[in-house]
mmCIF file of all heavy atoms in Angstrom:
data_model
loop_
_atom_site.group_PDB
_atom_site.id
_atom_site.type_symbol
_atom_site.label_atom_id
_atom_site.label_comp_id
_atom_site.label_asym_id
_atom_site.label_seq_id
_atom_site.Cartn_x
_atom_site.Cartn_y
_atom_site.Cartn_z
ATOM 1 N N LEU A 15 54.848 15.204 21.928
ATOM 2 C CA LEU A 15 54.141 16.071 21.006
ATOM 3 C C LEU A 15 54.852 15.792 19.682
ATOM 4 O O LEU A 15 55.988 15.362 19.665
ATOM 5 C CB LEU A 15 54.235 17.495 21.305
ATOM 6 C CG LEU A 15 54.070 17.896 22.832
ATOM 7 C CD1 LEU A 15 54.465 19.343 23.031
ATOM 8 C CD2 LEU A 15 52.597 17.721 23.057
ATOM 9 N N ILE A 17 56.286 17.706 16.591
ATOM 10 C CA ILE A 17 56.529 19.127 16.137
ATOM 11 C C ILE A 17 57.799 19.001 15.309
ATOM 12 O O ILE A 17 58.768 18.344 15.588
ATOM 13 C CB ILE A 17 56.883 20.062 17.309
ATOM 14 C CG1 ILE A 17 55.596 20.182 18.244
ATOM 15 C CG2 ILE A 17 57.434 21.387 16.883
ATOM 16 C CD1 ILE A 17 55.864 21.041 19.484
ATOM 17 N N GLU A 23 59.372 15.932 23.844
ATOM 18 C CA GLU A 23 58.678 16.212 25.186
ATOM 19 C C GLU A 23 58.191 17.688 25.244
ATOM 20 O O GLU A 23 58.867 18.545 24.732
ATOM 21 C CB GLU A 23 59.626 15.856 26.298
ATOM 22 C CG GLU A 23 59.841 14.388 26.372
ATOM 23 C CD GLU A 23 60.680 13.977 27.485
ATOM 24 O OE1 GLU A 23 61.099 14.846 28.254
ATOM 25 O OE2 GLU A 23 61.046 12.828 27.630
ATOM 26 N N PRO A 24 57.108 17.919 26.068
ATOM 27 C CA PRO A 24 56.652 19.362 26.109
ATOM 28 C C PRO A 24 57.665 20.100 26.793
ATOM 29 O O PRO A 24 58.313 19.694 27.709
ATOM 30 C CB PRO A 24 55.419 19.143 27.006
ATOM 31 C CG PRO A 24 55.091 17.720 27.131
ATOM 32 C CD PRO A 24 56.303 16.896 26.740
ATOM 33 N N GLU A 25 57.900 21.437 26.317
ATOM 34 C CA GLU A 25 58.857 22.352 26.920
ATOM 35 C C GLU A 25 58.215 22.979 28.164
ATOM 36 O O GLU A 25 58.742 23.003 29.152
ATOM 37 C CB GLU A 25 59.269 23.348 25.941
ATOM 38 C CG GLU A 25 60.362 22.870 25.061
ATOM 39 C CD GLU A 25 61.207 24.018 24.369
ATOM 40 O OE1 GLU A 25 60.887 25.227 24.749
ATOM 41 O OE2 GLU A 25 61.925 23.682 23.544
ATOM 42 N N ASP A 26 56.930 23.492 27.961
ATOM 43 C CA ASP A 26 56.357 24.008 29.117
ATOM 44 C C ASP A 26 54.854 23.631 29.251
ATOM 45 O O ASP A 26 54.026 24.286 29.766
ATOM 46 C CB ASP A 26 56.453 25.582 29.079
ATOM 47 C CG ASP A 26 55.848 26.228 27.842
ATOM 48 O OD1 ASP A 26 55.577 25.489 26.897
ATOM 49 O OD2 ASP A 26 55.627 27.403 27.823
ATOM 50 N N GLY A 27 54.497 22.480 28.741
ATOM 51 C CA GLY A 27 53.293 21.869 28.942
ATOM 52 C C GLY A 27 53.304 20.863 30.150
ATOM 53 O O GLY A 27 53.892 21.162 31.204
ATOM 54 N N GLY A 28 52.947 19.658 29.833
ATOM 55 C CA GLY A 28 52.919 18.592 30.871
ATOM 56 C C GLY A 28 52.247 17.317 30.467
ATOM 57 O O GLY A 28 52.324 17.016 29.253
ATOM 58 N N MET A 29 51.736 16.603 31.421
ATOM 59 C CA MET A 29 51.046 15.365 31.110
ATOM 60 C C MET A 29 49.625 15.516 31.565
ATOM 61 O O MET A 29 49.344 15.974 32.701
ATOM 62 C CB MET A 29 51.781 14.169 31.790
ATOM 63 C CG MET A 29 53.146 13.982 31.258
ATOM 64 S SD MET A 29 53.094 13.264 29.591
ATOM 65 C CE MET A 29 54.700 13.554 29.136
ATOM 66 N N ALA A 45 50.890 13.754 26.632
ATOM 67 C CA ALA A 45 51.586 14.987 26.699
ATOM 68 C C ALA A 45 50.717 16.065 26.197
ATOM 69 O O ALA A 45 50.057 16.009 25.170
ATOM 70 C CB ALA A 45 52.851 14.830 25.846
ATOM 71 N N TYR A 46 50.811 17.345 26.833
ATOM 72 C CA TYR A 46 50.155 18.495 26.268
ATOM 73 C C TYR A 46 51.121 19.635 26.257
ATOM 74 O O TYR A 46 52.193 19.598 26.893
ATOM 75 C CB TYR A 46 48.844 18.923 27.154
ATOM 76 C CG TYR A 46 49.239 19.434 28.436
ATOM 77 C CD1 TYR A 46 49.362 20.771 28.602
ATOM 78 C CD2 TYR A 46 49.221 18.675 29.557
ATOM 79 C CE1 TYR A 46 49.626 21.357 29.886
ATOM 80 C CE2 TYR A 46 49.465 19.189 30.791
ATOM 81 C CZ TYR A 46 49.634 20.486 30.920
ATOM 82 O OH TYR A 46 49.910 21.100 32.249
ATOM 83 N N GLY A 47 50.917 20.583 25.158
ATOM 84 C CA GLY A 47 51.791 21.591 25.031
ATOM 85 C C GLY A 47 51.500 22.895 25.693
ATOM 86 O O GLY A 47 50.324 23.156 26.026
ATOM 87 N N GLY A 48 52.476 23.700 25.943
ATOM 88 C CA GLY A 48 52.353 25.040 26.434
ATOM 89 C C GLY A 48 52.741 26.129 25.369
ATOM 90 O O GLY A 48 52.863 25.760 24.305
ATOM 91 N N LYS A 49 52.969 27.341 25.891
ATOM 92 C CA LYS A 49 53.112 28.418 25.023
ATOM 93 C C LYS A 49 54.508 28.347 24.159
ATOM 94 O O LYS A 49 54.477 28.448 22.920
ATOM 95 C CB LYS A 49 53.394 29.696 25.830
ATOM 96 C CG LYS A 49 53.163 30.915 25.133
ATOM 97 C CD LYS A 49 53.164 32.077 26.074
ATOM 98 C CE LYS A 49 52.782 33.427 25.312
ATOM 99 N NZ LYS A 49 53.390 33.730 24.136
ATOM 100 N N ARG A 50 55.543 27.746 24.846
ATOM 101 C CA ARG A 50 56.762 27.498 24.138
ATOM 102 C C ARG A 50 56.695 26.411 23.021
ATOM 103 O O ARG A 50 57.290 26.508 21.907
ATOM 104 C CB ARG A 50 57.970 27.216 25.043
ATOM 105 C CG ARG A 50 58.399 28.465 25.800
ATOM 106 C CD ARG A 50 59.867 28.451 26.238
ATOM 107 N NE ARG A 50 60.284 27.145 26.951
ATOM 108 C CZ ARG A 50 60.093 27.140 28.306
ATOM 109 N NH1 ARG A 50 59.653 28.057 28.972
ATOM 110 N NH2 ARG A 50 60.486 26.000 28.851
ATOM 111 N N ASP A 51 55.907 25.449 23.319
ATOM 112 C CA ASP A 51 55.674 24.339 22.398
ATOM 113 C C ASP A 51 54.740 24.809 21.145
ATOM 114 O O ASP A 51 55.167 24.507 20.018
ATOM 115 C CB ASP A 51 54.844 23.088 23.033
ATOM 116 C CG ASP A 51 55.587 22.659 24.266
ATOM 117 O OD1 ASP A 51 56.729 22.144 24.070
ATOM 118 O OD2 ASP A 51 55.143 22.776 25.446
ATOM 119 N N ILE A 52 53.959 25.754 21.381
ATOM 120 C CA ILE A 52 53.100 26.297 20.227
ATOM 121 C C ILE A 52 54.021 27.205 19.526
ATOM 122 O O ILE A 52 54.126 27.257 18.204
ATOM 123 C CB ILE A 52 51.878 27.116 20.852
ATOM 124 C CG1 ILE A 52 50.782 26.144 21.375
ATOM 125 C CG2 ILE A 52 51.285 28.073 19.740
ATOM 126 C CD1 ILE A 52 50.185 25.149 20.270
ATOM 127 N N ASP A 53 54.907 28.091 20.103
ATOM 128 C CA ASP A 53 55.892 28.785 19.412
ATOM 129 C C ASP A 53 56.808 27.942 18.501
ATOM 130 O O ASP A 53 56.863 28.239 17.277
ATOM 131 C CB ASP A 53 56.859 29.554 20.440
ATOM 132 C CG ASP A 53 56.132 30.716 21.128
ATOM 133 O OD1 ASP A 53 55.105 31.203 20.543
ATOM 134 O OD2 ASP A 53 56.700 31.149 22.066
ATOM 135 N N LYS A 54 57.154 26.830 18.973
ATOM 136 C CA LYS A 54 58.016 25.906 18.233
ATOM 137 C C LYS A 54 57.210 25.427 17.013
ATOM 138 O O LYS A 54 57.788 25.222 15.946
ATOM 139 C CB LYS A 54 58.488 24.714 19.026
ATOM 140 C CG LYS A 54 59.858 24.880 19.493
ATOM 141 C CD LYS A 54 60.336 23.827 20.599
ATOM 142 C CE LYS A 54 60.147 22.431 20.121
ATOM 143 N NZ LYS A 54 60.536 21.522 21.273
ATOM 144 N N ALA A 55 55.986 24.979 17.325
ATOM 145 C CA ALA A 55 55.190 24.377 16.234
ATOM 146 C C ALA A 55 54.889 25.442 15.170
ATOM 147 O O ALA A 55 54.861 25.089 13.992
ATOM 148 C CB ALA A 55 53.858 23.894 16.830
ATOM 149 N N VAL A 56 54.622 26.623 15.489
ATOM 150 C CA VAL A 56 54.295 27.682 14.528
ATOM 151 C C VAL A 56 55.523 27.966 13.720
ATOM 152 O O VAL A 56 55.431 28.079 12.497
ATOM 153 C CB VAL A 56 53.821 28.944 15.087
ATOM 154 C CG1 VAL A 56 53.660 30.128 14.268
ATOM 155 C CG2 VAL A 56 52.477 28.681 15.919
ATOM 156 N N ILE A 180 48.864 23.278 12.589
ATOM 157 C CA ILE A 180 49.155 22.815 13.844
ATOM 158 C C ILE A 180 47.789 22.367 14.368
ATOM 159 O O ILE A 180 46.923 23.162 14.394
ATOM 160 C CB ILE A 180 49.682 23.981 14.763
ATOM 161 C CG1 ILE A 180 51.057 24.531 14.225
ATOM 162 C CG2 ILE A 180 49.827 23.558 16.235
ATOM 163 C CD1 ILE A 180 50.947 25.906 13.838
ATOM 164 N N LYS A 182 45.454 21.113 17.213
ATOM 165 C CA LYS A 182 45.271 20.968 18.655
ATOM 166 C C LYS A 182 43.911 20.244 18.922
ATOM 167 O O LYS A 182 42.866 20.844 18.950
ATOM 168 C CB LYS A 182 45.254 22.378 19.265
ATOM 169 C CG LYS A 182 45.420 22.200 20.803
ATOM 170 C CD LYS A 182 44.624 23.224 21.730
ATOM 171 C CE LYS A 182 43.087 22.995 21.851
ATOM 172 N NZ LYS A 182 42.775 21.968 22.621
ATOM 173 N N VAL A 211 49.818 19.073 18.586
ATOM 174 C CA VAL A 211 50.079 19.639 20.029
ATOM 175 C C VAL A 211 48.746 19.576 20.817
ATOM 176 O O VAL A 211 48.034 20.543 20.851
ATOM 177 C CB VAL A 211 50.551 20.987 19.997
ATOM 178 C CG1 VAL A 211 51.007 21.577 21.387
ATOM 179 C CG2 VAL A 211 51.806 21.303 19.066
ATOM 180 N N PRO A 212 48.504 18.402 21.472
ATOM 181 C CA PRO A 212 47.334 18.428 22.474
ATOM 182 C C PRO A 212 47.525 19.519 23.546
ATOM 183 O O PRO A 212 48.651 19.966 23.795
ATOM 184 C CB PRO A 212 47.375 17.114 23.041
ATOM 185 C CG PRO A 212 48.221 16.268 22.161
ATOM 186 C CD PRO A 212 49.255 17.153 21.565
ATOM 187 N N GLY A 213 46.403 19.875 24.073
ATOM 188 C CA GLY A 213 46.438 20.928 25.043
ATOM 189 C C GLY A 213 45.095 21.425 25.560
ATOM 190 O O GLY A 213 44.165 21.040 24.915
ATOM 191 N N TYR A 214 45.172 22.370 26.419
ATOM 192 C CA TYR A 214 43.908 22.925 26.917
ATOM 193 C C TYR A 214 43.592 24.123 26.137
ATOM 194 O O TYR A 214 44.274 24.465 25.209
ATOM 195 C CB TYR A 214 44.111 23.332 28.460
ATOM 196 C CG TYR A 214 44.429 22.239 29.292
ATOM 197 C CD1 TYR A 214 45.637 21.747 29.724
ATOM 198 C CD2 TYR A 214 43.229 21.448 29.853
ATOM 199 C CE1 TYR A 214 45.838 20.724 30.496
ATOM 200 C CE2 TYR A 214 43.424 20.421 30.693
ATOM 201 C CZ TYR A 214 44.714 20.111 31.061
ATOM 202 O OH TYR A 214 44.833 18.820 31.805
ATOM 203 N N ASN A 217 43.787 29.706 28.462
ATOM 204 C CA ASN A 217 45.072 29.658 28.972
ATOM 205 C C ASN A 217 45.834 28.430 28.688
ATOM 206 O O ASN A 217 46.810 27.987 29.469
ATOM 207 C CB ASN A 217 44.803 29.739 30.488
ATOM 208 C CG ASN A 217 44.164 30.974 30.998
ATOM 209 O OD1 ASN A 217 44.520 31.999 30.437
ATOM 210 N ND2 ASN A 217 43.177 30.819 31.880
ATOM 211 N N GLY A 218 45.680 27.893 27.477
ATOM 212 C CA GLY A 218 46.501 26.739 27.078
ATOM 213 C C GLY A 218 46.827 26.862 25.690
ATOM 214 O O GLY A 218 46.693 27.935 24.963
ATOM 215 N N ALA A 219 47.210 25.714 25.068
ATOM 216 C CA ALA A 219 47.724 25.702 23.651
ATOM 217 C C ALA A 219 46.682 26.283 22.703
ATOM 218 O O ALA A 219 47.115 27.011 21.739
ATOM 219 C CB ALA A 219 47.950 24.258 23.296
ATOM 220 N N GLY A 220 45.274 26.079 23.007
ATOM 221 C CA GLY A 220 44.327 26.550 22.136
ATOM 222 C C GLY A 220 44.419 28.082 22.035
ATOM 223 O O GLY A 220 44.380 28.801 21.025
ATOM 224 N N GLN A 221 44.440 28.693 23.207
ATOM 225 C CA GLN A 221 44.511 30.193 23.321
ATOM 226 C C GLN A 221 45.738 30.765 22.671
ATOM 227 O O GLN A 221 45.739 31.770 21.948
ATOM 228 C CB GLN A 221 44.436 30.620 24.758
ATOM 229 C CG GLN A 221 44.330 32.178 24.946
ATOM 230 C CD GLN A 221 44.256 32.653 26.322
ATOM 231 O OE1 GLN A 221 43.657 32.024 27.153
ATOM 232 N NE2 GLN A 221 44.946 33.767 26.739
ATOM 233 N N TYR A 222 46.900 30.172 22.911
ATOM 234 C CA TYR A 222 48.232 30.582 22.409
ATOM 235 C C TYR A 222 48.172 30.514 20.918
ATOM 236 O O TYR A 222 48.724 31.461 20.140
ATOM 237 C CB TYR A 222 49.399 29.757 22.972
ATOM 238 C CG TYR A 222 49.472 29.724 24.450
ATOM 239 C CD1 TYR A 222 49.791 28.529 25.140
ATOM 240 C CD2 TYR A 222 49.165 30.844 25.258
ATOM 241 C CE1 TYR A 222 49.800 28.460 26.510
ATOM 242 C CE2 TYR A 222 49.182 30.703 26.584
ATOM 243 C CZ TYR A 222 49.426 29.608 27.246
ATOM 244 O OH TYR A 222 49.493 29.493 28.605
ATOM 245 N N LEU A 223 47.550 29.515 20.383
ATOM 246 C CA LEU A 223 47.476 29.440 18.981
ATOM 247 C C LEU A 223 46.567 30.568 18.299
ATOM 248 O O LEU A 223 47.062 31.163 17.293
ATOM 249 C CB LEU A 223 46.688 28.117 18.502
ATOM 250 C CG LEU A 223 47.430 26.854 17.986
ATOM 251 C CD1 LEU A 223 46.542 25.794 17.566
ATOM 252 C CD2 LEU A 223 48.323 27.241 16.759
ATOM 253 N N HIS A 226 48.490 33.833 18.447
ATOM 254 C CA HIS A 226 49.824 33.773 17.895
ATOM 255 C C HIS A 226 49.908 34.541 16.583
ATOM 256 O O HIS A 226 49.193 34.285 15.646
ATOM 257 C CB HIS A 226 50.371 32.339 17.590
ATOM 258 C CG HIS A 226 51.888 32.235 17.492
ATOM 259 N ND1 HIS A 226 52.527 32.793 16.519
ATOM 260 C CD2 HIS A 226 52.700 31.664 18.320
ATOM 261 C CE1 HIS A 226 53.883 32.625 16.736
ATOM 262 N NE2 HIS A 226 53.948 31.841 17.915
#
Side-chain angles (χ1 to χ4, degrees):
L15 314 172
I17 298 177
E23 287 181 6
E25 279 200 6
D26 59 346
M29 295 288 160
Y46 71 88
K49 197 169 189 318
R50 289 212 302 275
D51 301 301
I52 289 294
D53 283 343
K54 260 171 55 179
V56 173
I180 298 115
K182 194 215 78 71
V211 184
Y214 293 96
N217 299 317
Q221 182 179 327
Y222 305 138
L223 255 185
H226 203 295

